[in-house]
Amino acid sequence: MEGPEVVNSPPPGHHESQITLRYWAGARHAAGVPSDVVSTPAPLSLQALVAHAVALHPDAPRLPQVLGVCSALVDDRPVGTADPGGVLVSPGSTVEFLPPFAGG
C-alpha cells in the first residue's frame, strides 16, 4: 500500500497556515458562499476538507451531495480519481470544487 499523495507544495518562503476552498456554480449555490478558509498548520486530506466544508454549512443540506459529484482541483491540478483520503493538501493551497457541466 502506498502512502498519501501530496498534491502540491507551496513555494519556498510561503508560510501561510490556511487552505482556501472555492466553490463554483452549483457548489457555490449549495454552500451559499463563494469560498471558505480553513486554518491549519499541517496538510489535511481532501476528504477531511470536504467534511470540514460540510460542517461549516449546517444549513446547506444539499452541500454533501453536490461536493460528492464535484471535480476537485488543488492549486490548478486535477485530483482526478485519486482517493480523497490519500490526497494531502498543504497550507497555502487552494482547492476548487467544480460541479459537472452540461455538455462535457
Side-chain angles (χ1 to χ4, degrees):
M1 182 174 172
E2 295 181 30
E5 172 189 359
V6 177
V7 174
N8 61 348
S9 54
H14 201 246
H15 300 289
E16 288 189 39
S17 59
Q18 299 178 330
I19 297 171
T20 301
L21 307 178
R22 290 191 184 142
Y23 311 109
W24 295 97
R28 179 180 290 194
H29 181 72
V33 296
S35 64
D36 285 310
V37 174
V38 177
S39 294
T40 179
L44 293 174
S45 72
L46 181 58
Q47 182 177 12
L49 288 167
V50 169
H52 192 78
V54 169
L56 285 172
H57 303 284
D59 298 343
R62 291 192 58 241
L63 187 58
Q65 293 83 13
V66 172
L67 292 180
V69 298
C70 282
S71 297
L73 301 175
V74 177
D75 291 333
D76 297 326
R77 286 185 279 179
V79 172
T81 60
D83 175 13
V87 175
L88 294 180
V89 181
S90 298
S93 296
T94 299
V95 178
E96 315 264 353
F97 292 103
L98 298 109
F101 293 93

